[in-house]
Every structure is written in C-alpha cells, then in structure tokens.
Amino acid sequence: MQLLPTCLAEIRGGSTEAVRAAELRQLQLTKPAGSMGALERLGSRLSGSQGTSPPRIPERPAIAVFAGDHGVHAQGVTPWPQEVTGQMVANIASGGAVVCALARQVGAELVVVDVGVAAPVDVLEPRVRFLDRNVARGTADLATGPALTREQAVAALEVGISVAHDLVDSGVDLLVTGEMGIANTTPAAALVAAFSGDDAERVTGRGTGVDDEILVRKMDVVRRAVERAASATDPVDVLAEVGGLEHAALAGLLLGGAQRRVPVVIDGVIAASAAITAAALAPDAVDHWVAGHLSAEPGARVALDHLGLEPLLDLGMRLGEGSGAALAVPLVQSAARLLNEVATFDSAGVTGKDAPA
Amino acid sequence: MQLLPTCLAEIRGGSTEAVRAAELRQLQLTKPAGSMGALERLGSRLSGSQGTSPPRIPERPAIAVFAGDHGVHAQGVTPWPQEVTGQMVANIASGGAVVCALARQVGAELVVVDVGVAAPVDVLEPRVRFLDRNVARGTADLATGPALTREQAVAALEVGISVAHDLVDSGVDLLVTGEMGIANTTPAAALVAAFSGDDAERVTGRGTGVDDEILVRKMDVVRRAVERAASATDPVDVLAEVGGLEHAALAGLLLGGAQRRVPVVIDGVIAASAAITAAALAPDAVDHWVAGHLSAEPGARVALDHLGLEPLLDLGMRLGEGSGAALAVPLVQSAARLLNEVATFDSAGVTGKDAPA
C-alpha cells in the first residue's frame, strides 16, 4: 500500500498565477470591485486549485459520507446509543437522511462508506451507493489508550484517498465531506486541540446534544487524550492516538482531492478536524479546500482559523453528515460561474466608476 | 387603480397552526433537535407563509429586478455616472449581469422592469424578459424636496404588486427581490432611518464605492431628508418624500407576494428599505418574507433587525441586483425539502437520544 506516501508526495499548492489572473478578471466584470465579497475570494481560490482562470464550474459534485464507531462511547460522552451509527448509515443508504435530501437539492452524488462501524450494516436495496471498506469494527477507547493502531490509521487514510481517486476518475469535479459516527465529536475535539495547540476546554462542545454533566466528562477525556498525544512522533501517530476511522478517511479524501487538484468542501467539526490533521501531513493541500460552513461546535472555528479558511455559511448548524458542506455547493458553483459568465465593462458597454460625466 | 388598497386589505399574517405543525414535525425527523439551526426556523416560517405543513418546496423561483434613477444623483452621492442604470438594465436584459449568472445557477426566472429609469432603455433581442412599466424618468432630488409625488409612489407600488400577481399567476412560487439604480442606496438609507427611527449616520453606508468625502455628503443629505419626512402623514407620504421608484415597486412586490401567500426573499439594503416601508403599510406581511443575506451596507442590518428577520447569508456582499437573495434560493428550497423528505425516527427505525442502552 503506497497510496498515502505517493499522495503526500504529489500534492502541490494552488497556482498563484491562476489566482492572480482570476483576481484581475474580477475587476473587469460588470460589478463594483469587491462587491461580491467572499464569493470573489472563493472564485479566485477555485482558480488556484484547478490551476486555471476562469475556473471550471463544478458540474459533478459528490458527497462522501464516512461512518465509524468509537470506543470512547463507553465513557458516556454522548446521550445517543452507539447502534444509531449503523442505523443512520442504513437511513442514508435508503435515502431518508438530511444529507440525502440536500444531495438531491444540490444535484450531488452521494456515497456512504462504512470505514469503521461497530456492527455490519444491513443495507437492503440501497438507493444510495454503499461501500463496505470497514477497517475495524470501531476504534478502541481513546480515554484509556490509542484509539487506533498506526496500521489502522493509515488504512483508513487510504480508504479516503482511494474514494477520492475513484470519484474523480468517474468525472466528479467537486468533493464534499460527510460523516456519521455517534461520539465522533470527542475525537474531533482531541484532534483539533492536538494540532492547533488550543485548550481542550476551548475546542470541546456539546455535539448533538450533551448536557453540562456530560460536557465536563467529555472535556476531561479530551484533555487527557491530548496530553498523551503530545508524545506522538508524527501526525499519523496523533491521529492513531486520539482520532477515529471516519476522521482518518476524511483526511484521506481531503488529501486525495488536493492531489488531483479537485476542490474539497469541508463540512463541520469532524471534517475540520480531519482537515487540520491532513494539513499537518501536507500543508499545501489547504489551497484546495473550501470551508462550507461554520458549525456551532466550537472546535470547528478553531480548526478553520488555524487553517486560514473562511466559512461560507453560518446557520448555527451542528448535524454533520455533510449537511453544511452540501448547502455550500451552489455557492461554490456560483463563485466559478460568475468568473465564466458575467460580462465585462467593455463587452457590455457599461461605463465604469469615476468616469467623467 | 384599486390594487394597493385591495392588496393591503387582503394581507394576513402567517398561519400559527402551520408553524406549530412544522415545528413538531422537525422534532420527528432523523436528526438531533434543532441541529439544522436557522434552516429549521426557515422551514417553519415557509409553512406559516403557505399555511401548510410540510411546506411545498418552491420549484418556480422568479427574480424581479426593478430599475430606477434618482434626482439625488446631482448631489454627488456616488462616483458612478447616472447613465450606468440604463446600461446595466440592458446588460441584465442581455444576460450578462451577475444576477443573470446567479439566476441560471439557481434555476430562477428573471424579469427586469424599468419602473423609473431616466432615459428609455434600448433592449434589442432581450435574453431576459424586459417590462417597460416606467412611472417617471427618474425621481426628483430628495435633497431639495419630495422625490416623488404621492401619485407616482402609489403607481410604482402598484407596478410591484401587479408584477407579483402576474408572476404568481404564471406559477411562480417563490419571489426574489432585485434592483438596479445608481444612487439608490441614498433613498434606501433615508427610508430605513425614517421607518426605524435610527440615525442617518448609522444607516448610511458606502454603497458601491463611496470615499470619505462623499460619505459625509451622503449622510448630510439623508439626515435632512429624514427630518423633512418627519412631517409626513402616512407611510406612502414618507416613501414619496425620500424614496425611489424601484424602492416603491419592491415594496409592492413584497406586499403582492404576502397577499398571495408566496414567500418573498429580501436582497440587500434597497430591498430591506422597501420591506421596512411595506411593513409600515401592512405589518402582517412580514411573516411572508425571508431575509436572503446581510448586505455589507449598514442600513440593511438596521432594517432587518427592525423587522425581526434573520439573514441566511453573510458574505460581505454589497452588489444588489438581487444577487444575495438569488444565492439564498437553494437554502429556502432546502429548508422546505427537509420537512418533506427526511425520514422520521419511527419510519427509519432509528433509536432516539437518551434511549436505554
């Protein structure tokens, strides 16, 4: 298995020439300079990722939802039973989850990948593509020791890389991160703390509905795990110590997209924790990523700030599944579309600002 | 012409029963309660406007762009020549403007309406529907006297109402506000100040690119106009005193949509100033409006706060044309779609939170 080292070796940053060309083009379009705000910066970013100006308009977005379970569930860090992970994978596969409705709304393909669910997922007559790439039947309890072996972490990273490659090879031109995993905000918080250097208390949140008592316990688990991770020798070791299988696979998807120069939209705190992990492995990959939204989970903002990424949406969402990133897809397409389709002052015969009367 | 009084008389607020039914339905869907944030509140709002739960998913959005010129341009409140209004109307009609690209992106119909452009607009072979409903060849200078006669203000309101009716009669189920008019942030600021009671200095911004010197002049113009408007006898008089023809037409569109129980998406500060005007005429109409985005122009936030509306997007945009509202269309559709398509815990066989292990 040489997927990971090859991927890391092939990643290049965005093209500064293409970014500059897009920025110049923005100034010629029939609109006041800068008046489309973040959408203009996004258009230039897409140019950099693709290495061309104007950027191609993404027409084949695909959402990859990676699912996994977590030994840390035993610590009582969530009020949801662990079996919900597999049940929700089945719900996604049968088209009934939030991310399914949003994928239909934005015209995105959807694939759900079992990379670490505890019990085999029973998917009869799936309406959504389901991939069984299970690396382990859930992680070990990160409160008491490493969540993963190094080999498991690498295998899950490579699941994500290979899913990115397969999707891009099939014509997908915009990758969207999604995940499902009861208790997975705990390893996400630990990854964000470990790679940002920020406090466990600052990055740990209430996930999908944690009360004060559970929150204190969760912060304590995260703090102790991050202390242990401080002696890790490299980013993969940190990921193995405190991460999760879907976090690793998402990091792989982010790296595989960057390798192929296909933009990847980051969803909430799980995807952001995967991104901060992936950036530790390949800092140049960040140029190929777009922050879809700002999750209500505090670790998301810490991770995005650390990566220098500006979230497009801020709707107070904290669902995961890829929901916030899916909603951002039309914004990404719009940013590229403007650079392709808006007339210039010259071509439209429109007088510019400050022209003599 | 009895369009306006009939419209105002027929407007009813949103259905509280439908809102409550939608809120209950949200709790049954396979997601943690409240985890879709503002999108859940939006879905319930759409139910209230349409009077049904789940709300129908808007499938035929239409953007109406109203264009007008402004006598206050003579005061030097903008660096853009007045002729740009007509040039941009032609650019929109030929499909080259930002709003055209965004309309294509979100699958919205687009209609551009000359309600008050100074010079006749020459539209050869339009690729976008163009309506000549010119009420006056620009407003009078609001710095020196009333911008409009009361009759002109009513006529422009009724242009907006009739456009709303025509679109809804043709099957449109989501209305989107757009506008074009060089210098039109000045009357917008005056309307927001007059109807909110806030200071001219707080609501007046740099529009599409005003330097410090022009900004001071613009604030002074707004302050004096608002002082004069204080003696107006009703909202239509305020609108005539300090408003604009496209502002009036947009207020009409907002009222006509509310009358027909079709949600209307508010764009930036011009549309927000029209909304605060329309709400003064028919307070219940607000239940039918959705704030598409938060414009960078300060008056937009003041108006939306006054109306109790929560903007969906905040991308630092300040273009107008309907650009921010157009980008919000997929979010509106998504909010309705979730209430229609997401499985319930029961139907999907997913265990709820806090279930016994």
Side-chain angles (χ1 to χ4, degrees), chain A residues 327-345:
Chain A
L327 288 169
V329 164
L331 299 175
V332 175
Q333 292 169 320
S334 295
R337 188 178 288 269
L338 295 182
L339 280 165
N340 280 277
E341 297 186 0
V342 175
T344 63
F345 282 99

Side-chain angles (χ1 to χ4, degrees), chain A residues 21 124 142 144 299:
Chain A
L124 299 171
L142 66 85
T144 57

